[in-house]
Coordinates of all heavy atoms in Angstrom, one line a residue:
M1 N 0.9 -1.2 0.0 CA 0.0 0.0 0.0 C 0.9 1.2 0.0 O 1.9 1.3 0.7 CB -0.9 0.0 1.2 CG -1.8 1.1 1.3 SD -2.9 1.3 2.8 CE -3.5 -0.4 3.0
N2 N 0.5 2.2 -0.8 CA 1.4 3.4 -0.8 C 1.1 4.3 0.4 O 0.1 4.2 1.1 CB 1.2 4.2 -2.2 CG -0.2 4.9 -2.3 OD1 -0.7 5.4 -1.3 ND2 -0.7 4.8 -3.5
K3 N 2.1 5.2 0.6 CA 2.0 6.1 1.8 C 0.8 7.0 1.8 O 0.2 7.3 2.8 CB 3.3 6.9 1.9 CG 4.5 6.1 2.2 CD 4.5 5.6 3.6 CE 5.8 4.9 3.9 NZ 5.8 4.2 5.1
D4 N 0.5 7.5 0.6 CA -0.7 8.4 0.4 C -2.0 7.7 0.9 O -2.8 8.3 1.6 CB -0.8 8.9 -1.0 CG 0.4 9.7 -1.5 OD1 1.0 10.3 -0.6 OD2 0.6 9.8 -2.7
K5 N -2.1 6.5 0.4 CA -3.3 5.7 0.8 C -3.3 5.4 2.3 O -4.4 5.5 2.9 CB -3.4 4.4 0.0 CG -4.7 3.7 0.1 CD -4.7 2.6 -0.9 CE -6.1 2.2 -1.3 NZ -6.1 1.2 -2.3
E6 N -2.2 5.1 2.8 CA -2.1 4.8 4.3 C -2.5 6.1 5.1 O -3.2 6.0 6.1 CB -0.7 4.4 4.7 CG -0.3 3.0 4.2 CD 1.1 2.6 4.6 OE1 1.8 3.3 5.4 OE2 1.6 1.6 4.0
L7 N -2.0 7.2 4.6 CA -2.3 8.5 5.3 C -3.8 8.7 5.3 O -4.4 9.1 6.3 CB -1.6 9.6 4.7 CG -1.9 11.0 5.3 CD1 -1.5 11.1 6.8 CD2 -1.1 12.1 4.5
L8 N -4.4 8.6 4.1 CA -5.9 8.8 4.0 C -6.7 7.8 4.9 O -7.6 8.2 5.6 CB -6.3 8.6 2.5 CG -7.8 8.8 2.3 CD1 -8.3 10.2 2.7 CD2 -8.2 8.6 0.8
E9 N -6.3 6.5 4.9 CA -7.0 5.6 5.7 C -6.8 5.9 7.2 O -7.8 5.8 8.0 CB -6.4 4.1 5.5 CG -7.0 3.6 4.2 CD -6.6 2.1 4.0 OE1 -6.1 1.5 4.9 OE2 -6.7 1.6 2.8
F10 N -5.6 6.3 7.6 CA -5.4 6.7 9.0 C -6.3 7.9 9.3 O -7.0 7.9 10.4 CB -3.9 7.1 9.2 CG -3.7 7.7 10.5 CD1 -3.6 6.9 11.6 CD2 -3.6 9.1 10.7 CE1 -3.3 7.5 12.9 CE2 -3.3 9.6 11.9 CZ -3.2 8.8 13.0
Q11 N -6.4 8.9 8.5 CA -7.3 10.1 8.7 C -8.8 9.7 8.8 O -9.5 10.2 9.6 CB -7.0 11.2 7.7 CG -5.6 11.8 7.8 CD -5.4 12.4 9.2 OE1 -6.3 12.8 9.9 NE2 -4.1 12.6 9.5
V12 N -9.2 8.8 7.9 CA -10.6 8.4 7.9 C -10.9 7.6 9.2 O -11.9 7.9 9.9 CB -10.9 7.5 6.7 CG1 -12.2 6.7 6.8 CG2 -10.9 8.3 5.4
V13 N -10.0 6.7 9.6 CA -10.3 6.0 10.8 C -10.3 6.9 12.0 O -11.1 6.8 12.9 CB -9.2 4.8 11.0 CG1 -9.2 4.2 12.4 CG2 -9.4 3.7 9.9
R14 N -9.3 7.8 12.0 CA -9.2 8.8 13.1 C -10.5 9.6 13.2 O -11.0 9.9 14.3 CB -8.0 9.7 12.9 CG -7.7 10.6 14.0 CD -6.4 11.3 13.7 NE -6.3 12.5 14.5 CZ -6.7 13.8 14.0 NH1 -7.1 13.9 12.8 NH2 -6.5 14.8 14.8
S15 N -11.0 10.1 12.1 CA -12.2 11.0 12.1 C -13.4 10.2 12.6 O -14.2 10.7 13.4 CB -12.4 11.5 10.7 OG -11.4 12.4 10.4
I16 N -13.6 9.0 12.1 CA -14.7 8.2 12.5 C -14.6 7.8 14.0 O -15.6 7.9 14.7 CB -14.8 6.9 11.7 CG1 -15.2 7.2 10.2 CG2 -15.9 5.9 12.2 CD1 -15.0 6.1 9.2
T17 N -13.4 7.5 14.5 CA -13.2 7.2 15.9 C -13.6 8.5 16.7 O -14.3 8.3 17.8 CB -11.8 6.8 16.2 OG1 -11.5 5.7 15.4 CG2 -11.6 6.5 17.6
M18 N -13.3 9.7 16.3 CA -13.7 10.9 17.0 C -15.2 11.0 17.1 O -15.7 11.4 18.1 CB -13.1 12.1 16.3 CG -11.6 12.3 16.6 SD -10.8 13.7 15.8 CE -12.0 14.9 15.6
V19 N -15.9 10.7 16.0 CA -17.3 10.8 16.0 C -17.9 9.8 17.0 O -18.8 10.2 17.8 CB -17.9 10.5 14.6 CG1 -19.4 10.3 14.6 CG2 -17.5 11.6 13.6
Y20 N -17.5 8.5 17.0 CA -18.2 7.7 18.0 C -17.7 7.8 19.4 O -18.5 7.6 20.3 CB -18.2 6.2 17.5 CG -17.0 5.3 17.5 CD1 -16.4 4.8 18.6 CD2 -16.5 4.9 16.2 CE1 -15.3 4.0 18.5 CE2 -15.4 4.1 16.1 CZ -14.8 3.6 17.3 OH -13.8 2.8 17.2
K21 N -16.5 8.4 19.6 CA -16.1 8.8 21.0 C -17.0 9.9 21.5 O -17.4 9.9 22.6 CB -14.7 9.2 21.0 CG -13.7 8.0 21.1 CD -12.3 8.5 21.2 CE -11.3 7.3 21.3 NZ -9.9 7.7 21.5
N22 N -17.3 10.9 20.6 CA -18.2 11.9 21.0 C -19.6 11.4 21.3 O -20.3 11.9 22.2 CB -18.3 13.0 19.9 CG -17.1 13.9 19.8 OD1 -16.3 14.0 20.8 ND2 -16.8 14.4 18.6
C23 N -20.1 10.5 20.5 CA -21.4 9.8 20.8 C -21.4 9.1 22.1 O -22.3 9.2 22.9 CB -21.8 8.9 19.7 SG -22.2 9.6 18.1
L24 N -20.3 8.4 22.4 CA -20.2 7.7 23.7 C -20.2 8.7 24.8 O -20.8 8.5 25.9 CB -18.9 6.9 23.8 CG -18.9 5.6 22.8 CD1 -17.5 5.0 22.9 CD2 -20.0 4.7 23.2
N25 N -19.5 9.9 24.7 CA -19.5 10.9 25.7 C -20.9 11.5 25.9 O -21.3 11.7 27.1 CB -18.5 12.0 25.3 CG -17.1 11.6 25.5 OD1 -16.7 10.8 26.3 ND2 -16.2 12.3 24.8
L26 N -21.6 11.6 24.8 CA -23.0 12.1 25.0 C -23.9 11.1 25.8 O -24.6 11.6 26.6 CB -23.6 12.3 23.6 CG -23.1 13.6 22.8 CD1 -23.6 13.5 21.4 CD2 -23.5 14.8 23.5
I27 N -23.8 9.9 25.5 CA -24.7 8.9 26.2 C -24.2 8.8 27.6 O -25.0 8.5 28.5 CB -24.9 7.6 25.5 CG1 -23.6 6.7 25.4 CG2 -25.5 7.7 24.2 CD1 -23.8 5.3 25.1
E28 N -22.9 8.9 27.9 CA -22.4 8.9 29.3 C -23.0 10.1 30.0 O -23.4 9.9 31.2 CB -20.9 8.9 29.3 CG -20.3 7.5 28.9 CD -18.8 7.6 28.7 OE1 -18.2 8.6 29.0 OE2 -18.2 6.5 28.3
G29 N -22.9 11.3 29.4 CA -23.5 12.4 30.1 C -25.0 12.3 30.3 O -25.5 12.7 31.3
L30 N -25.7 11.7 29.3 CA -27.1 11.5 29.4 C -27.4 10.5 30.6 O -28.3 10.8 31.4 CB -27.7 10.9 28.1 CG -29.2 10.7 28.1 CD1 -30.0 12.0 28.2 CD2 -29.5 10.0 26.7
Q31 N -26.6 9.5 30.7 CA -26.9 8.5 31.8 C -26.6 9.2 33.2 O -27.4 9.0 34.1 CB -26.0 7.3 31.7 CG -26.4 6.3 32.7 CD -25.5 5.0 32.8 OE1 -24.4 5.1 32.5 NE2 -26.2 3.9 33.1
Q32 N -25.6 10.0 33.2 CA -25.3 10.7 34.5 C -26.4 11.6 34.9 O -26.9 11.6 36.0 CB -24.0 11.5 34.4 CG -22.7 10.6 34.4 CD -21.5 11.4 34.1 OE1 -21.5 12.6 33.8 NE2 -20.4 10.7 34.1
E33 N -26.9 12.4 33.9 CA -28.0 13.3 34.2 C -29.3 12.5 34.6 O -30.0 12.8 35.5 CB -28.3 14.1 33.0 CG -29.4 15.2 33.2 CD -29.0 16.2 34.2 OE1 -27.8 16.5 34.4 OE2 -29.9 16.8 34.8
H34 N -29.5 11.4 33.9 CA -30.6 10.5 34.2 C -30.5 10.0 35.7 O -31.5 10.0 36.4 CB -30.6 9.3 33.2 CG -31.6 8.2 33.6 ND1 -31.2 7.1 34.4 CD2 -32.9 8.0 33.2 CE1 -32.3 6.3 34.5 NE2 -33.2 6.8 33.8
D35 N -29.3 9.5 36.0 CA -29.1 9.0 37.4 C -29.4 10.1 38.4 O -30.0 9.9 39.5 CB -27.7 8.4 37.6 CG -27.6 7.1 36.8 OD1 -28.6 6.5 36.3 OD2 -26.4 6.7 36.6
I36 N -28.9 11.3 38.2 CA -29.1 12.4 39.1 C -30.5 12.8 39.2 O -31.0 12.9 40.4 CB -28.3 13.7 38.6 CG1 -26.8 13.5 38.7 CG2 -28.7 14.9 39.3 CD1 -25.9 14.5 38.0
Q37 N -31.2 12.9 38.1 CA -32.7 13.2 38.2 C -33.5 12.2 38.9 O -34.4 12.5 39.7 CB -33.2 13.6 36.8 CG -32.6 14.7 36.2 CD -32.6 16.0 37.0 OE1 -33.6 16.3 37.7 NE2 -31.5 16.8 37.0
F38 N -33.3 10.9 38.6 CA -34.0 9.8 39.2 C -33.6 9.7 40.7 O -34.5 9.4 41.6 CB -33.9 8.5 38.5 CG -35.0 8.3 37.5 CD1 -34.8 8.7 36.2 CD2 -36.1 7.6 37.9 CE1 -35.8 8.5 35.3 CE2 -37.1 7.4 36.9 CZ -37.0 7.9 35.6
G39 N -32.4 10.0 41.0 CA -32.0 10.1 42.4 C -32.7 11.1 43.2 O -33.2 10.9 44.4
K40 N -32.9 12.3 42.6 CA -33.6 13.4 43.3 C -35.1 13.0 43.5 O -35.7 13.2 44.5 CB -33.6 14.6 42.4 CG -32.2 15.3 42.4 CD -32.3 16.6 41.5 CE -30.9 17.3 41.4 NZ -31.0 18.4 40.5
L41 N -35.7 12.3 42.4 CA -37.1 11.9 42.6 C -37.2 10.9 43.7 O -38.1 11.0 44.5 CB -37.6 11.3 41.2 CG -37.9 12.2 40.1 CD1 -38.2 11.5 38.8 CD2 -39.2 13.0 40.5
K42 N -36.3 9.9 43.7 CA -36.4 8.9 44.8 C -36.2 9.5 46.2 O -36.8 9.0 47.1 CB -35.4 7.8 44.5 CG -35.7 6.9 43.3 CD -34.6 5.9 43.0 CE -34.9 5.1 41.8 NZ -33.8 4.2 41.4
K43 N -35.3 10.5 46.2 CA -35.1 11.1 47.5 C -36.3 11.9 48.0 O -36.7 11.9 49.2 CB -33.9 12.0 47.5 CG -33.5 12.6 48.8 CD -32.2 13.4 48.6 CE -31.8 13.9 50.0 NZ -30.5 14.7 49.9
S44 N -37.0 12.6 47.0 CA -38.1 13.4 47.4 C -39.4 12.6 47.6 O -40.4 13.1 48.2 CB -38.3 14.5 46.3 OG -38.8 14.0 45.1
M45 N -39.4 11.4 47.0 CA -40.6 10.6 47.1 C -40.2 9.2 47.5 O -40.4 8.2 46.7 CB -41.4 10.5 45.8 CG -41.9 11.9 45.4 SD -42.9 12.0 43.9 CE -42.2 10.8 42.7
P46 N -39.7 9.0 48.7 CA -39.2 7.7 49.1 C -40.3 6.6 49.1 O -40.0 5.4 48.9 CB -38.7 7.9 50.5 CG -39.2 9.2 51.0 CD -39.6 10.0 49.8
E47 N -41.6 7.0 49.3 CA -42.7 6.0 49.3 C -42.9 5.5 47.9 O -43.5 4.4 47.7 CB -43.9 6.6 49.9 CG -44.6 7.7 49.0 CD -43.9 9.1 49.0 OE1 -43.0 9.3 49.7 OE2 -44.4 9.9 48.2
K48 N -42.4 6.2 46.9 CA -42.6 5.7 45.5 C -41.3 5.2 44.8 O -41.2 5.0 43.6 CB -43.0 6.9 44.6 CG -44.3 7.6 45.1 CD -45.5 6.8 44.7 CE -46.8 7.5 45.0 NZ -47.9 6.8 44.8
K49 N -40.3 4.9 45.7 CA -39.0 4.5 45.2 C -39.1 3.3 44.3 O -38.4 3.2 43.2 CB -38.1 4.2 46.4 CG -36.6 4.0 46.0 CD -35.8 3.8 47.2 CE -34.3 3.7 46.8 NZ -33.5 3.6 48.0
E50 N -39.9 2.3 44.6 CA -40.0 1.1 43.8 C -40.6 1.4 42.4 O -40.2 0.9 41.4 CB -40.8 0.0 44.5 CG -40.8 -1.3 43.9 CD -41.5 -2.4 44.7 OE1 -41.3 -2.5 45.9 OE2 -42.2 -3.2 44.1
L51 N -41.7 2.2 42.5 CA -42.3 2.6 41.2 C -41.3 3.4 40.3 O -41.3 3.2 39.1 CB -43.6 3.4 41.5 CG -44.4 3.9 40.3 CD1 -44.9 2.7 39.5 CD2 -45.5 4.8 40.7
L52 N -40.6 4.3 40.9 CA -39.6 5.1 40.2 C -38.5 4.2 39.6 O -38.1 4.5 38.5 CB -39.1 6.2 41.1 CG -40.0 7.3 41.5 CD1 -39.5 8.2 42.5 CD2 -40.4 8.1 40.2
S53 N -38.1 3.2 40.3 CA -37.1 2.3 39.8 C -37.6 1.6 38.6 O -36.8 1.4 37.6 CB -36.7 1.3 40.9 OG -36.0 1.9 41.9
Q54 N -38.9 1.3 38.5 CA -39.5 0.6 37.3 C -39.5 1.6 36.2 O -39.4 1.2 35.0 CB -40.9 0.2 37.6 CG -40.9 -1.0 38.6 CD -42.4 -1.4 39.0 OE1 -43.3 -0.9 38.3 NE2 -42.6 -2.1 40.0
A55 N -39.6 2.9 36.4 CA -39.7 3.9 35.4 C -38.4 4.3 34.8 O -38.3 4.9 33.7 CB -40.4 5.2 35.9
E56 N -37.3 3.9 35.4 CA -36.0 4.3 34.9 C -35.8 3.6 33.5 O -35.9 2.4 33.4 CB -34.9 3.8 35.9 CG -34.8 4.7 37.1 CD -33.6 4.4 37.9 OE1 -32.5 4.8 37.5 OE2 -33.7 3.8 39.0
Y57 N -35.5 4.5 32.6 CA -35.3 4.0 31.2 C -33.9 3.8 30.7 O -33.7 3.1 29.8 CB -36.1 5.0 30.2 CG -35.5 6.4 30.4 CD1 -34.5 6.9 29.6 CD2 -36.1 7.3 31.3 CE1 -34.0 8.1 29.7 CE2 -35.6 8.6 31.4 CZ -34.6 9.0 30.6 OH -34.1 10.3 30.8
L58 N -33.0 4.4 31.4 CA -31.6 4.3 31.0 C -30.8 3.6 32.1 O -29.9 4.2 32.7 CB -31.0 5.7 30.7 CG -29.6 5.7 29.9 CD1 -29.7 4.9 28.7 CD2 -29.2 7.1 29.6
D59 N -31.1 2.3 32.2 CA -30.3 1.5 33.2 C -29.0 1.1 32.6 O -28.7 1.4 31.5 CB -31.2 0.4 33.7 CG -31.6 -0.6 32.6 OD1 -31.1 -0.4 31.5 OD2 -32.4 -1.5 32.9
R60 N -28.2 0.3 33.3 CA -26.9 -0.1 32.9 C -27.0 -1.0 31.6 O -26.2 -0.9 30.7 CB -26.2 -0.8 34.0 CG -24.7 -1.1 33.8 CD -24.1 0.1 33.2 NE -23.1 0.8 34.0 CZ -22.4 1.8 33.6 NH1 -22.5 2.2 32.3 NH2 -21.6 2.4 34.4
A61 N -28.0 -1.8 31.6 CA -28.2 -2.7 30.4 C -28.5 -1.9 29.2 O -27.9 -2.2 28.1 CB -29.3 -3.7 30.7
Q62 N -29.4 -0.9 29.3 CA -29.7 -0.1 28.1 C -28.5 0.8 27.7 O -28.2 0.9 26.5 CB -30.9 0.9 28.4 CG -31.3 1.7 27.3 CD -31.9 1.0 26.1 OE1 -32.2 -0.2 26.2 NE2 -32.0 1.6 25.0
F63 N -27.8 1.3 28.7 CA -26.5 2.0 28.4 C -25.6 1.2 27.6 O -25.0 1.6 26.6 CB -25.9 2.6 29.6 CG -24.6 3.2 29.4 CD1 -24.5 4.5 29.0 CD2 -23.4 2.5 29.6 CE1 -23.3 5.1 28.7 CE2 -22.2 3.1 29.4 CZ -22.1 4.4 29.0
N64 N -25.3 -0.1 28.1 CA -24.4 -1.0 27.4 C -24.8 -1.3 26.0 O -24.0 -1.5 25.1 CB -24.1 -2.2 28.3 CG -23.3 -1.9 29.5 OD1 -22.5 -1.0 29.5 ND2 -23.5 -2.7 30.5
F65 N -26.2 -1.5 25.9 CA -26.7 -1.8 24.5 C -26.4 -0.6 23.6 O -25.9 -0.8 22.4 CB -28.2 -2.0 24.6 CG -28.9 -2.2 23.3 CD1 -28.8 -3.3 22.6 CD2 -29.6 -1.1 22.8 CE1 -29.5 -3.4 21.3 CE2 -30.3 -1.2 21.6 CZ -30.2 -2.4 20.8
L66 N -26.7 0.6 24.0 CA -26.5 1.8 23.2 C -25.0 1.9 22.9 O -24.6 2.2 21.7 CB -27.0 3.0 23.8 CG -28.5 3.1 24.0 CD1 -28.9 4.3 24.8 CD2 -29.2 3.2 22.6
R67 N -24.1 1.7 23.9 CA -22.7 1.8 23.7 C -22.2 0.8 22.6 O -21.4 1.1 21.8 CB -22.0 1.5 25.0 CG -20.5 1.7 25.0 CD -19.9 1.4 26.4 NE -18.5 1.6 26.4 CZ -17.6 0.8 25.9 NH1 -18.0 -0.4 25.5 NH2 -16.3 1.1 25.9
K68 N -22.7 -0.4 22.7 CA -22.3 -1.5 21.8 C -22.8 -1.1 20.4 O -22.0 -1.2 19.4 CB -22.9 -2.8 22.2 CG -22.5 -3.9 21.2 CD -23.1 -5.3 21.7 CE -22.7 -6.4 20.8 NZ -22.5 -6.2 19.4
K69 N -24.0 -0.6 20.2 CA -24.5 -0.2 18.9 C -23.6 1.0 18.3 O -23.4 1.0 17.1 CB -25.9 0.3 19.0 CG -26.9 -0.9 19.2 CD -26.9 -1.8 18.1 CE -27.9 -2.9 18.2 NZ -27.7 -3.9 17.1
I70 N -23.2 1.9 19.1 CA -22.4 3.0 18.6 C -21.0 2.5 18.2 O -20.6 2.8 17.1 CB -22.2 4.1 19.7 CG1 -23.5 4.8 20.0 CG2 -21.1 5.1 19.4 CD1 -23.5 5.7 21.2
L71 N -20.4 1.6 19.0 CA -19.1 1.0 18.6 C -19.2 0.2 17.4 O -18.4 0.3 16.5 CB -18.5 0.2 19.8 CG -18.1 1.1 21.0 CD1 -17.8 0.1 22.1 CD2 -17.0 2.0 20.6
D72 N -20.3 -0.6 17.3 CA -20.5 -1.5 16.1 C -20.7 -0.6 14.9 O -20.1 -0.9 13.8 CB -21.7 -2.4 16.3 CG -21.4 -3.5 17.3 OD1 -20.3 -3.7 17.7 OD2 -22.4 -4.2 17.7
S73 N -21.5 0.4 15.0 CA -21.7 1.3 13.8 C -20.4 2.0 13.4 O -20.1 2.0 12.2 CB -22.7 2.4 14.2 OG -24.0 1.8 14.4
G74 N -19.6 2.5 14.3 CA -18.4 3.1 13.9 C -17.4 2.1 13.3 O -16.8 2.4 12.2
N75 N -17.3 0.9 13.8 CA -16.4 -0.1 13.2 C -16.9 -0.5 11.8 O -16.1 -0.7 10.9 CB -16.3 -1.3 14.1 CG -15.5 -0.9 15.4 OD1 -14.6 -0.1 15.3 ND2 -15.8 -1.6 16.5
D76 N -18.3 -0.6 11.7 CA -18.8 -1.0 10.3 C -18.5 0.1 9.3 O -18.1 -0.2 8.2 CB -20.3 -1.2 10.4 CG -20.7 -2.5 11.2 OD1 -19.9 -3.3 11.4 OD2 -21.9 -2.6 11.5
V77 N -18.6 1.3 9.7 CA -18.4 2.4 8.8 C -16.9 2.4 8.4 O -16.5 2.6 7.2 CB -18.8 3.8 9.4 CG1 -18.3 4.9 8.6 CG2 -20.3 3.9 9.4
K78 N -16.0 2.2 9.4 CA -14.6 2.2 9.1 C -14.3 1.1 8.1 O -13.6 1.3 7.1 CB -13.8 2.0 10.4 CG -13.6 3.2 11.2 CD -12.5 3.0 12.3 CE -13.1 2.4 13.5 NZ -12.1 2.4 14.6
R79 N -14.8 -0.1 8.3 CA -14.5 -1.2 7.4 C -15.0 -0.9 6.0 O -14.4 -1.2 5.0 CB -15.1 -2.5 8.0 CG -14.2 -3.2 9.0 CD -14.7 -4.6 9.4 NE -16.0 -4.5 10.0 CZ -16.2 -4.4 11.3 NH1 -15.2 -4.2 12.1 NH2 -17.4 -4.4 11.8
E80 N -16.2 -0.4 6.0 CA -16.9 -0.1 4.7 C -16.1 0.9 3.9 O -15.8 0.7 2.7 CB -18.3 0.3 4.9 CG -19.0 0.5 3.6 CD -20.5 1.0 3.8 OE1 -21.1 0.6 4.9 OE2 -21.0 1.6 2.9
L81 N -15.7 2.0 4.5 CA -14.9 3.0 3.8 C -13.6 2.6 3.4 O -13.1 2.8 2.2 CB -14.8 4.3 4.7 CG -16.1 5.1 4.8 CD1 -15.8 6.3 5.8 CD2 -16.5 5.7 3.5
I82 N -12.9 1.8 4.2 CA -11.6 1.3 3.8 C -11.7 0.3 2.7 O -10.9 0.3 1.7 CB -10.8 0.8 5.1 CG1 -10.4 1.9 6.0 CG2 -9.6 -0.1 4.6 CD1 -9.9 1.5 7.3
S83 N -12.7 -0.5 2.7 CA -13.0 -1.4 1.7 C -13.3 -0.7 0.4 O -12.8 -1.1 -0.7 CB -14.1 -2.4 2.0 OG -14.5 -3.1 0.9
Y84 N -14.1 0.3 0.5 CA -14.4 1.1 -0.7 C -13.2 1.8 -1.3 O -13.1 1.9 -2.5 CB -15.5 2.2 -0.3 CG -16.0 3.0 -1.4 CD1 -16.9 2.4 -2.4 CD2 -15.8 4.3 -1.5 CE1 -17.4 3.1 -3.5 CE2 -16.3 5.1 -2.6 CZ -17.1 4.5 -3.5 OH -17.6 5.2 -4.6
M85 N -12.3 2.3 -0.4 CA -11.1 3.0 -0.9 C -10.2 2.1 -1.7 O -9.3 2.5 -2.4 CB -10.4 3.6 0.3 CG -11.1 4.8 0.8 SD -10.2 5.9 2.0 CE -9.5 4.7 3.1
E86 N -10.3 0.8 -1.5 CA -9.5 -0.2 -2.3 C -9.7 -0.1 -3.8 O -8.9 -0.5 -4.6 CB -9.8 -1.6 -1.8 CG -9.4 -1.9 -0.4 CD -7.9 -1.8 -0.2 OE1 -7.1 -2.2 -1.1 OE2 -7.5 -1.3 0.9
N87 N -10.8 0.5 -4.2 CA -11.1 0.7 -5.6 C -10.4 1.9 -6.2 O -10.6 2.2 -7.4 CB -12.7 0.9 -5.8 CG -13.4 -0.3 -5.3 OD1 -13.0 -1.5 -5.6 ND2 -14.5 -0.1 -4.6
F88 N -9.7 2.6 -5.4 CA -9.1 3.9 -5.9 C -7.5 3.9 -5.8 O -7.0 3.3 -4.8 CB -9.6 5.1 -5.1 CG -11.1 5.3 -5.4 CD1 -12.0 4.7 -4.5 CD2 -11.5 6.1 -6.4 CE1 -13.3 4.9 -4.7 CE2 -12.9 6.3 -6.6 CZ -13.8 5.7 -5.7
D89 N -6.9 4.5 -6.7 CA -5.5 4.8 -6.5 C -5.4 6.3 -6.0 O -5.9 7.2 -6.6 CB -4.7 4.8 -7.9 CG -4.6 3.4 -8.4 OD1 -4.5 2.4 -7.6 OD2 -4.7 3.2 -9.7
I90 N -4.8 6.4 -4.9 CA -4.8 7.7 -4.1 C -3.4 8.2 -4.1 O -2.4 7.6 -3.8 CB -5.3 7.5 -2.7 CG1 -6.7 6.9 -2.8 CG2 -5.2 8.7 -1.9 CD1 -7.3 6.4 -1.5
K91 N -3.3 9.5 -4.5 CA -2.0 10.3 -4.5 C -2.3 11.6 -4.0 O -3.3 12.3 -4.3 CB -1.5 10.4 -5.9 CG -1.1 9.1 -6.5 CD -0.5 9.2 -7.9 CE 0.0 7.9 -8.4 NZ -0.7 7.3 -9.4
T92 N -1.4 12.1 -3.2 CA -1.5 13.5 -2.6 C -1.0 14.5 -3.7 O -0.2 14.1 -4.5 CB -0.8 13.7 -1.3 OG1 0.6 13.3 -1.6 CG2 -1.3 12.8 -0.2
K93 N -1.5 15.7 -3.5 CA -1.0 16.8 -4.4 C 0.4 17.1 -4.1 O 0.8 17.1 -2.9 CB -1.9 18.0 -4.3 CG -3.3 17.8 -4.8 CD -4.1 19.1 -4.7 CE -5.5 18.9 -5.2 NZ -6.3 20.2 -5.0
E94 N 1.2 17.5 -5.0 CA 2.6 17.9 -4.8 C 2.7 19.3 -4.5 O 2.0 20.1 -4.9 CB 3.4 17.5 -6.0 CG 3.1 16.1 -6.4 CD 4.3 15.2 -6.5 OE1 5.4 15.7 -6.3 OE2 4.2 14.0 -6.6

């Protein structure tokens, strides 16, 4: 593989990785906010704690599911783009 193509593949992988890291940071922040808000509800309504626990929508299992989907999507896109680039001869401008 030529150096120009290697550089392009590296940049593509790097950019896609940045996108899914940002997505992961977003869902981590969302989960933290979810935990804070449900914690406040449970504290203010201790008699409804069990009901509130049932209402929690972003539990650890859901978070892990979303995390896996984001990582799988990013990896799929990387593989697809790199595979697609195999059809091209790539040269940088001089």
